[in-house]
Every structure is written in C-alpha cells, then in structure tokens.
Amino acid sequence: MARPKVTENGAIGASCVTPADYARLYRALRTLSAGNRALARAQDEGTLLQDMCDAIVEQGGYQMSWIGYLEHDEHQSIRPMAHAGVEEGFLQMLDLTWSEKAVTPSGLAIRTGKPQVGHDVLNDPALAPLMEEQKKRGYAAVSAYPLIVDGNVVGNLSIVASEYDAFGEEELRVLSELADDVAYGISALRSRARQREAEAAMQRMAYYDQLTGLPNRTLFLNQLERMISASSPPYRPFALGILTVDQFREINDVLGYQQANELLLQVASRLQAQLDQGSFLGRVSDNEFAILQPNTDAERASLEAVRLLRQFDEPLTVAGIQVDARLRIGLSLFPGHGKEPDALMRRATMAARQAQHSVMNYTIFSGSLDKECTRHVSLIAELHHAIEHDELRLYCQPKVQFDTGKLCGAEALIRWQHPERGLIEPNRFIKLAEQAGMITSLTHWILEAAFRQIYTQEQAGRPTPLAVNLSARDLLDPRLTERIRGLFLTWGVDPAHLQFELTESALMDDPSGALATLNQLKSLGVQLAVDDFGTGYSSLSYLQRLPADTIKIDQSFVGAMISDQESDTIVRSTIDLAHNLGLHVVAEGVENRAIWDRLTTLGCDIAQGYFVSRPIPAEQFDSSWQAALAA
C-alpha cells in the first residue's frame, strides 16, 4: 500500500484506500468526537489539554499523545504541558526543540506550521537513539500537528500509533481538525480568562480604593446598610466614625500628590493595625477614612476614638520629612443619630468638621449640628423658586472625534445662577434635588432647554447632536416617553440630534424596567448612551440586550489610566468590548494630551473633557467653539 508522505510544502500525497484505512479513519472520527466533548466541558486551559490527551488514548485507541508549548529560550525548547499513554521518563529522552536542528515530527510541526508524519519510526535514522525504547513501548508511527492560536504557532499536538502505516490521508485530515479544535479551545479559554481578569479588575475598581486597597465609599455604604439590617430590631447599637487626615491638602500642595498618597498609605496601615475584630475600615474620600464599630455605645466609641488618635501622636515620615498628620474623628451612633446610611454618614461627617475645633480632636454628633440640614432644606426651597423664575442656565460641553478632531456633539449640563450666591455648580444641588423628589422638575427644565438649543442650531444650519442625562428616577416616570414625544411635535427637530445618557448604576437599579423605558425611547429615533460605564457592574448579557448606541467610560478610569495599569486595562477592555458589540465609545474626563494620545492608540471614538473644552453657556456655544477651532 502506498502510504501518505508530507512533502516540503506540507501537501499530503494520495493513497489507496483499504479496510484498515477505514478502521483507522473510524478511530480518528471517534477521537474527534471525544475531543469535542472534552472541549465542551473544559473550564480551564490545563484541564482542556489533559482531557484531550486522555481522549486520544482512551477513546481513540492511540498508543500515546502529548501536547507541548514552544519556549523562546536559548535552546528553543518544547515544554510538555499534558500527556497520556506515556511511560515515565520517555518524553525526557526526546530532543524536544523547534530550532533549526529539530528532527522530530513535533519540532518540525512547530517550525513549519504544517502537520508532520513519521512512518516506521523504528527505522527512522533521526530517531535511531530511541529505537529500543520505541520498540519496547510499541510505537510504530507518529504524527504531529501545529497548534495555531490567533495566527501564531504556540505548540504541538503529537499522536503515536502502533501501526507503521497509520496516519493515512483521511485520518490525517481528521486529526488535523482535532488539532484545530484544541487550538480554538486554547484561544477561547484564554479570551475567557482575560475577560474574567478584566471583570475582576472592574470589581476591584468598583468596590475598593485603588491607592490603599481598602473598601471604597460604595462598599462601605453597603456594609453600613447590612449592619443596620442586622442590628434592628432588636436594636443593637454601633458607632460610625469619620476620620479626617489633617494637613492632607497642604501636603499635597507643598510636597506633591505622590507624597500625599504616601501619607495616606501610612495612615491606612496604622489604622488597619489597630482594628478590633468585627470593625470595618474604608476610605470614603480623598482625606477621609470611615470605620464601623459593632456593639458600641457612646462611651466605648469615645474610648476607641481616643485610642486611635494616640496612634498618631508619633509623626509620620514622608519624603524624608517628619509630618505631624493628626486625625480628627467625628462619630454618629445607631440608632440614636439615625437609622439610614445617609443620615449616619452625614452626621458623622458634620461631627468630624466640628472636631477641628475640639481640643480632644473628636466629637460625637449633637442635634445642634443638624442646622446644616436646615440649610439644605432652605436650598431646596430656593431651587424650586429657581426653576419657576428662570434662574437655571444651560451649558454645553463639546465632544470631538479622535480621528478627525471635529466636533460631533455636546452634553447638556445645568447650572444655577443664584441671585445672591452666584453660579452654583450642579454637584451642590442635583443630589439634593434627587433626595427631595425634585429631579423630575429639573429633567423637565433641561429637556425643554435642550430641544430649544437643538432647534436653534438646526435653524442656524449648524446642527450639533446634544446629549441629555436621565436619572434613575426619570426612568421610573411612566410619562417620560410621552413628554419627549410631545417635545418632538412641538419643536419639530431631527431625533438624530438628540441623545439620552443613562448611568450604568441607574440602569441596574431596575434592570427590567430600565430596559422597557429604553426601548420606548429608542422607538422615537433618538441615540442612547450608557454613562459612567464600569461603575455599576452590569452584566455582559444585560449590556447586549440594551438598545444602546454608545458607551461612555467613566472619568475615574480615564483620568487614572496613565498612572494606573488596572485603569488602563479596564479602558482598553471596555473599548474592545464596545466595538465588538458594534457600539461607539466616548471617553469622559480627557484632561490632558497624554490621556488623549493613549486613547487614540486604543482606538477610542470620541473625547469629552477639559482638554477638549470646558462647558460653555448654550448661547455662546457656536461662537466659543468656532473661536476654539480657529485658535
């Protein structure tokens, strides 16, 4: 019988077909089927490789199989990763290399990228030193296949048979398909591992402080909610402390942010070393830590505050300088100072501010500090007046394309022109409006202002898509879609010039309800964007169901990506993920050239941030942006 031989260009010669060939073909097909089952079950790369080797020997009936990965070491060696049917020590006898000196089918398969067959290995001069060992083990023929992952040869799959005329043309074709399946499985599992790593990094970013590794504000509040639920009823008191680091901002200004960060790391280390069992420590803002102390009343909380403060009697050494970085501690107590997380946090924060004026350096919240709540109520009343008396102003922050630098849209932002306090930034009143149930009134105002701005720009012949933010409460408004439909009828603007941005956290408050509202909005012909992506930890399956056009990467990741590898990984993974889903990507928080250049390299689509432009009053948008372009 004419046996197939692999030519120099990798072609496989023809052969006559005999019953034995059919039997071997059936064996190869049985092996392929067993390999597919192993591929479907594999959860990790090591398991996949071993299960494949086992399937080849146990279900396929071959004498031996092994999988190796090439090494880029001095000897260009091949490292065995898995094997089956191999007697102890046999692989160590082989000259496992893929260098120019390679003579084994395995080495040649890696080097050439083509299947290699060795018939009658007992008489192969290249394998003469192993003749006795192979005869003893019943090895007669060997075939080796390159494992090609993402276009690159990464290793070999080698199979040994007991028949000298094994690996005919059809058998070789089927086993080559098996090798392709192994390579596909390796690629898929590595991709899955990278995705898990990115999700784990995102999880850490979402719930842990990047600098200290402590729980961040989000995770701390989650823990606070759990303690409240576990402590009532029956009510078991506990203390919440806000610990403010004195002179942090001065150190940051004088010595720089790296030294200020070193200060915070040392503070965190000292606090962690003093934690009692059951206490929970987190970093909740730039220079603030927070601690939960279970089963603690006012007396014990005071004693613990004094004990913690004494740990900072000794100065810290930062950049070779002795720094007297003392703490100020504000305490609130459950249930006396509140049974809601916000109330306890707010009152502990007020007490920490009051502690700056205390010789003891700590203060327990008292009712007199609640005057600030009265001021908030006053501000809410003034905001209601501002909405009715046209004290709000529309600002627009431009968005530009990375590849052309051209204006491609803007985000609608709100400002409050207070008659006595001047221009008030939204971070001072938006949260209050949400807490007071006034966010719907603000949304109505900005929708009206946005439609007016779009109409004005369309009439001027310079239409610019404008994005409007919607809150979690807006998504619950059953009249939202009808109101927007009515505004389209009133102004007659092109729906393509309106985009709605919804934060990932808002979507996750009520995923099914949010999805229904988004589908209704999408039916109007508008564009939809997921804002602050990466902070709400939505699932990939949910993201795929959203009728979104764009993802906006949260500025906390974008701003840190130059100095923090995890942030860079998250940004890169998010861009790749969005593009794979057919979505555009906006990076918000582009503050400097370095971030711009890095995002350009990563293939991001659109930039927004101070490096592009600060928010501009709507009535000045066209003239200011044209002037910026001219400059």
Side-chain angles (χ1 to χ4, degrees), residues 6 8 10 98 105-116 146 153:
V6 178
E8 291 184 0
W98 57 280
S106 301
L108 292 172
I110 291 177
R111 187 162 192 83
T112 64
K114 297 179 177 63
Q116 301 291 320
V153 177

Side-chain angles (χ1 to χ4, degrees), residues 20-170:
D21 291 328
Y22 281 118
R24 284 190 285 271
L25 175 59
Y26 176 73
R27 174 176 64 181
L29 291 171
R30 189 171 65 241
T31 302
L32 179 63
S33 177
N36 286 336
R37 290 194 297 271
L39 182 65
R41 293 192 303 265
Q43 296 298 314
D44 60 78
E45 191 170 333
T47 301
L48 169 67
L49 302 185
Q50 187 57 56
D51 286 352
M52 280 291 183
C53 289
D54 291 341
I56 292 168
V57 172
E58 295 171 8
Q59 278 77 48
Y62 290 96
Q63 288 291 99
M64 185 259 279
S65 68
W66 68 281
I67 294 174
Y69 283 174
L70 63 86
E71 299 279 7
H72 291 280
D73 56 8
E74 180 182 357
H75 302 289
Q76 294 181 294
S77 55
I78 305 172
R79 177 162 53 98
M81 302 299 296
H83 56 77
V86 179
E87 293 187 20
E88 188 68 29
F90 180 74
L91 289 178
Q92 286 70 26
M93 299 179 186
L94 302 177
D95 182 17
L96 297 180
T97 178
W98 57 280
S99 68
E100 293 180 352
K101 299 179 181 179
V103 294
T104 64
S106 301
L108 292 172
I110 291 177
R111 187 162 192 83
T112 64
K114 297 179 177 63
Q116 301 291 320
V117 177
H119 292 293
D120 197 9
V121 298
L122 298 179
N123 297 311
D124 188 338
L127 301 175
L130 300 175
M131 183 182 299
E132 291 304 319
E133 291 293 333
Q134 293 181 109
K135 183 184 296 184
K136 182 173 65 176
R137 291 171 170 82
Y139 299 163
V142 61
S143 61
Y145 311 85
L147 298 178
I148 302 174
V149 176
D150 299 329
N152 299 309
V153 177
V154 301
N156 65 282
L157 166 63
S158 298
I159 302 175
V160 176
S162 59
E163 310 91 357
Y164 76 94
D165 56 353
F167 308 119
E169 182 175 353
E170 289 301 313

Side-chain angles (χ1 to χ4, degrees), residues 229-434:
S229 297
S231 299
S232 57
Y235 295 106
R236 290 186 290 273
F238 64 82
L240 188 159
I242 295 292
L243 299 79
T244 303
V245 182
D246 274 3
Q247 298 180 326
F248 170 77
R249 288 183 174 81
E250 290 81 356
I251 293 171
N252 188 64
D253 292 341
V254 175
L255 299 180
Y257 77 93
Q258 290 184 335
Q259 284 69 33
N261 284 347
E262 175 59 30
L263 170 68
L264 292 175
L265 285 169
Q266 292 191 39
V267 170
S269 178
R270 284 197 184 183
L271 289 174
Q272 285 179 293
Q274 298 301 319
L275 281 184
D276 289 333
Q277 186 175 9
S279 296
F280 190 85
L281 177 67
R283 183 187 176 201
V284 295
S285 70
D286 284 348
N287 66 326
E288 286 185 342
F289 295 86
I291 187 169
L292 292 171
Q293 299 168 308
N295 302 317
T296 302
D297 56 17
E299 181 179 1
R300 286 197 293 271
S302 297
L303 292 173
E304 181 64 13
V306 171
R307 187 180 73 84
L308 288 176
L309 290 169
R310 284 176 179 168
Q311 307 308 313
F312 292 87
D313 287 343
E314 294 294 325
L316 301 172
T317 302
V318 178
I321 301 173
Q322 296 285 303
V323 177
D324 185 18
R326 295 182 179 273
L327 300 186
R328 306 284 181 176
I329 301 178
L331 297 168
S332 63
L333 297 163
F334 173 88
H337 295 151
K339 291 181 283 186
E340 296 293 333
D342 284 348
L344 290 168
M345 287 290 290
R346 178 169 50 80
R347 287 168 175 168
T349 300
M350 284 191 281
R353 286 199 295 267
Q354 188 68 20
Q356 295 178 4
H357 310 292
S358 168
V359 295
M360 300 295 293
N361 292 331
Y362 79 91
T363 299
I364 299 179
F365 173 81
S366 65
S368 62
L369 298 177
D370 237 358
K371 291 180 179 179
E372 185 172 342
C373 293
T374 304
R375 289 195 294 272
H376 285 172
V377 173
S378 176
L379 192 63
I380 290 170
E382 293 176 12
L383 178 58
H384 184 77
H385 180 274
I387 296 173
E388 293 185 344
H389 293 82
D390 200 28
E391 293 177 7
L392 301 180
R393 299 289 181 266
L394 179 67
Y395 276 59
C396 300
Q397 186 170 30
K399 304 175 185 178
V400 300
Q401 295 173 332
F402 274 102
D403 56 353
T404 65
K406 292 182 179 180
L407 177 70
C408 60
E411 181 177 358
L413 303 170
I414 193 170
R415 299 292 187 268
W416 180 2
Q417 188 64 51
H418 195 282
E420 297 177 359
R421 307 185 192 188
L423 192 67
I424 300 179
E425 295 290 321
N427 57 357
R428 290 188 58 192
F429 63 87
I430 294 293
K431 191 67 176 179
L432 282 177
E434 290 179 340

Side-chain angles (χ1 to χ4, degrees), residues 423-496:
L423 192 67
I424 300 179
E425 295 290 321
N427 57 357
R428 290 188 58 192
F429 63 87
I430 294 293
K431 191 67 176 179
L432 282 177
E434 290 179 340
Q435 294 173 349
M438 292 180 59
I439 196 66
T440 301
S441 297
L442 281 180
T443 300
H444 290 173
W445 184 92
I446 199 166
L447 282 172
E448 187 76 32
F451 272 88
R452 183 183 298 109
Q453 177 70 9
I454 294 171
Y455 177 81
T456 300
Q457 291 182 313
E458 287 183 351
Q459 293 301 303
R462 294 185 296 272
T464 302
L466 194 60
V468 175
N469 290 280
L470 296 178
S471 69
R473 192 180 295 267
D474 290 327
L475 295 178
L476 299 176
D477 183 358
R479 297 170 295 179
L480 175 67
T481 304
E482 286 307 310
R483 182 174 187 84
I484 294 170
R485 182 178 284 110
L487 288 169
F488 274 118
L489 293 173
T490 301
W491 291 97
V493 300
D494 186 346

